[in-house]
């Protein structure tokens, strides 16, 4: 399986208002950049190739993530246009996407998973059909976006929540620190 992370500045626009000096995709939740949570999940699920498709160029992101060897994955980068649809982005990244199952993470979301139950999650994905849950899409090898069923975010194998405002960001950070530190690999303070 491979992972395609789609990052658009519009999805992160509120971040610039409150944190103008932070590269949006590197906003920290519980002292860890949001992108690192995605990469941790991929690494835990044995996804070894990740492509970050963004409508902005950021040396900060590429410097932080580099080639991904820190997490045991290969990370590559691709620029997309801000008005590109997911279908268009898949076409632009067709060589990366073809012949593999593909997990697509699209939007400013936080994925609720438990590192201690990752084997069960991976087995569910292996036995799952393709689905489109909005911000998370799973395509089995050679499936097309137009042929897969749309499911509600609640029915997604990876429960997630969108982060659209600073209050949601604060509440999420506090919830992780108070209730779910055992679910993620978190840095010490």
């Amino acid at each position: 399986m491979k992972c395609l992370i789609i990052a658009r500045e519009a999805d992160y626009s509120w971040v610039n208002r409150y944190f103008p000096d932070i590269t949006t995709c590197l906003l920290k939740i519980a002292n860890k950049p949001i992108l690192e949570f995605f990469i941790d999940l991929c690494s835990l699920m044995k996804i070894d190739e990740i492509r970050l498709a963004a409508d902005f160029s950021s040396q900060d992101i590429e410097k932080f993530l580099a080639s991904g060897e820190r997490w045991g994955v290969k990370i590559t980068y691709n620029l997309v246009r801000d008005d590109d649809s997911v279908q268009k982005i898949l076409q632009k990244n067709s060589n990366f996407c073809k012949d593999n199952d593909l997990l697509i993470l699209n939007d400013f979301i936080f994925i609720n998973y438990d590192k201690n139950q990752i084997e069960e999650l991976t087995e569910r994905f292996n036995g799952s059909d393709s689905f489109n849950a909005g911000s998370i899409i799973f395509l089995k090898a050679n499936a097309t976006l137009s042929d897969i069923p749309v499911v509600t975010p609640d029915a997604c194998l990876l429960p997630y929540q969108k982060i659209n405002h600073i209050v949601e960001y604060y509440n999420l950070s506090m919830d992780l620190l108070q209730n779910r530190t055992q679910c993620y690999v978190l840095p010490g303070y």
Side-chain angles (χ1 to χ4, degrees), residues 66-185:
S67 65
E69 70 181 38
R70 174 175 153 193
W71 296 274
V73 299
K74 178 183 177 188
I75 299 175
T76 55
Y77 304 88
N78 191 10
L79 280 172
V80 296
R81 296 174 53 132
D82 62 345
D83 59 347
D84 282 348
S85 66
V86 173
Q87 181 63 43
K88 183 75 170 178
I89 293 170
L90 286 172
Q91 289 171 350
K92 287 181 176 182
N93 291 277
S94 61
N95 285 337
F96 174 78
C97 301
K98 70 179 179 183
D99 302 327
N100 287 286
D101 291 352
L102 182 68
L103 177 64
I104 303 169
L105 308 177
N106 180 28
D107 209 345
F108 191 14
I109 59 173
F110 186 80
I111 301 170
N112 299 304
Y113 66 91
D114 185 341
K115 69 177 182 187
N116 302 306
Q117 297 176 357
I118 210 71
E119 288 179 22
E120 297 165 27
L121 177 64
T122 303
E123 287 175 16
R124 286 195 311 246
F125 265 95
N126 290 337
S128 172
D129 291 327
S130 301
F131 64 84
N132 181 346
S135 296
I136 296 180
I137 301 169
F138 178 62
L139 289 173
K140 292 296 253 186
N142 302 314
T144 61
L145 195 58
S146 59
D147 295 336
I148 64 171
V150 176
V151 299
T152 64
D154 295 338
C156 182
L157 291 177
L158 279 172
Y160 68 89
Q161 60 194 85
K162 287 189 176 191
I163 308 169
N164 295 314
H165 194 271
I166 193 164
V167 173
E168 294 167 352
Y169 165 71
Y170 173 79
N171 289 337
L172 173 63
S173 296
M174 294 309 295
D175 180 45
L176 253 63
L177 291 173
Q178 293 174 348
N179 303 314
R180 298 189 286 159
T181 57
Q182 74 283 0
C183 296
Y184 304 95
V185 177

Side-chain angles (χ1 to χ4, degrees), residues 37-51:
F37 282 97
F38 296 164
I39 294 166
D40 278 352
L41 173 65
C42 290
S43 178
L44 290 166
M45 290 180 67
K46 306 290 189 261
I47 296 172
D48 57 2
E49 288 189 58
I50 301 169
R51 163 96 25 109

